[in-house]
């Protein structure tokens, strides 16, 4: 997979992500020169080409003069959850929009989420667009693919994780404990959480609305709920 963007490369460098090749534009730029030097220092393979070539290999005009071939994106095994002490998990039930996925990843990393779990089927995958929208923060977290979300929820509940599903009929989120270990389930942009997944949750939470607004974009909802978990748990540790 070929990803692109200067901030994406900075995150790759910071997190020691393995790469097959870094392609730099031959246009002159102090920022690009610094990135080239950083790549050299890490003995990463790189080449310099014109912008048309970078546009062709990335299929993106706004590549910012940097394209990185990271090979196949490696999802983490669900067993990694067992290695995390007091986990904070986000479960995405059939999210379809890569921009929503990328935005949720960025917010998740900023709010201290340990792992983001998606189903293998009928769900957005990690794509160059997802990596770009996440501004490369995807390389700071664990993206886990599972065959069956309901079964995964059952497993983590046995590990002591309390699972909350975001649904309109749920309790107001600010009235709920949300102490770690905790998992938040967010549903599809149109239909929300599937009933079989919802039934596996320990409880349901909602975001109160005024002015007859029925719902928020899922990435906006994620931001509100994830930072409530962050706030509740920071209170514990302060």
């Amino acid at each position: 997979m070929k990803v692109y963007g200067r901030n994406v490369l900075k995150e790759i460098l910071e997190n020691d992500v393995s790469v097959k090749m870094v392609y730099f534009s031959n246009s002159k730029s102090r920022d690009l020169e610094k990135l080239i030097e950083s790549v050299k220092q890490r003995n990463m393979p790189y080449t310099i080409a014109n912008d048309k070539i970078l546009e062709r290999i990335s299929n993106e005009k706004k590549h910012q003069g940097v394209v990185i071939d990271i090979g196949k994106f490696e999802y983490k095994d669900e067993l990694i959850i067992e290695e995390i002490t007091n986990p904070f998990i986000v479960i995405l039930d059939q999210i379809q929009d890569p921009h929503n996925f990328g935005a949720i990843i960025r917010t998740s990393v900023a709010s201290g989420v340990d792992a983001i779990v998606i189903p293998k089927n009928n769900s957005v995958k990690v794509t160059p667009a997802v990596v770009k929208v996440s501004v490369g923060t995807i390389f700071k977290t664990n993206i886990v693919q599972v065959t069956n979300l309901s079964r995964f929820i059952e497993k983590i509940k046995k590990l002591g994780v309390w699972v909350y599903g975001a649904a309109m009929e749920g309790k107001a989120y600010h009235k709920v404990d949300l102490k770690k270990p905790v998992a938040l389930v967010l549903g599809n942009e149109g239909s929300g959480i599937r009933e079989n997944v919802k039934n596996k949750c320990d409880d349901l939470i909602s975001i109160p609305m005024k002015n007859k607004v029925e719902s928020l974009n899922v990435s906006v909802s994620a931001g509100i709920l994830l930072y409530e978990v962050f706030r509740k748990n920071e209170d514990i540790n302060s």
Side-chain angles (χ1 to χ4, degrees), residues 168-199:
M168 290 177 61
E169 66 270 27
K171 302 172 184 175
Y173 73 91
H174 59 277
K175 296 180 179 179
V176 179
D177 193 4
L178 296 178
K179 302 283 178 62
K180 296 194 296 185
V182 66
L184 292 181
V185 185
L186 298 161
N188 174 273
E189 290 90 344
S191 55
I193 304 172
R194 289 171 292 168
E195 284 301 316
N196 62 321
V197 175
K198 191 184 291 186
N199 291 337

Side-chain angles (χ1 to χ4, degrees), residues 84-152:
I84 301 170
T85 303
N86 213 26
F88 177 12
I89 304 165
V90 168
I91 301 171
L92 303 179
D93 185 19
Q94 297 191 341
I95 297 292
Q96 302 297 316
D97 187 339
H99 289 83
N100 282 334
F101 189 22
I104 291 170
I105 291 169
R106 188 177 185 184
T107 303
S108 295
V109 173
S111 59
V113 169
D114 297 297
I116 301 168
V117 180
I118 61 173
K120 288 182 178 178
N121 299 318
N122 301 315
S123 173
V124 65
K125 305 294 190 292
V126 174
T127 65
V130 170
V131 175
K132 178 63 176 176
V133 174
S134 81
V135 200
T137 56
I138 191 170
F139 300 113
K140 292 182 181 289
T141 192
N142 300 299
I143 308 295
V144 179
Q145 270 191 330
V146 299
T147 303
N148 187 301
L149 281 186
S150 295
R151 195 175 302 134
F152 173 78

Side-chain angles (χ1 to χ4, degrees), residues 15-40:
N15 293 283
D16 294 322
V17 177
S18 177
V19 304
K20 289 189 170 184
M21 180 65 70
V22 183
Y23 300 86
F24 287 108
S25 168
N26 59 5
S27 59
K28 298 295 182 181
S29 161
R30 180 173 293 181
D31 193 31
L32 278 181
E33 289 173 1
K34 288 180 179 179
L35 287 172
I36 292 171
E37 189 58 35
S38 295
V39 165
K40 282 182 180 178

Side-chain angles (χ1 to χ4, degrees), residues 35 79 94 158 162 185 225:
L35 287 172
L79 291 175
Q94 297 191 341
K158 290 177 182 177
W162 197 270
V185 185
L225 297 176

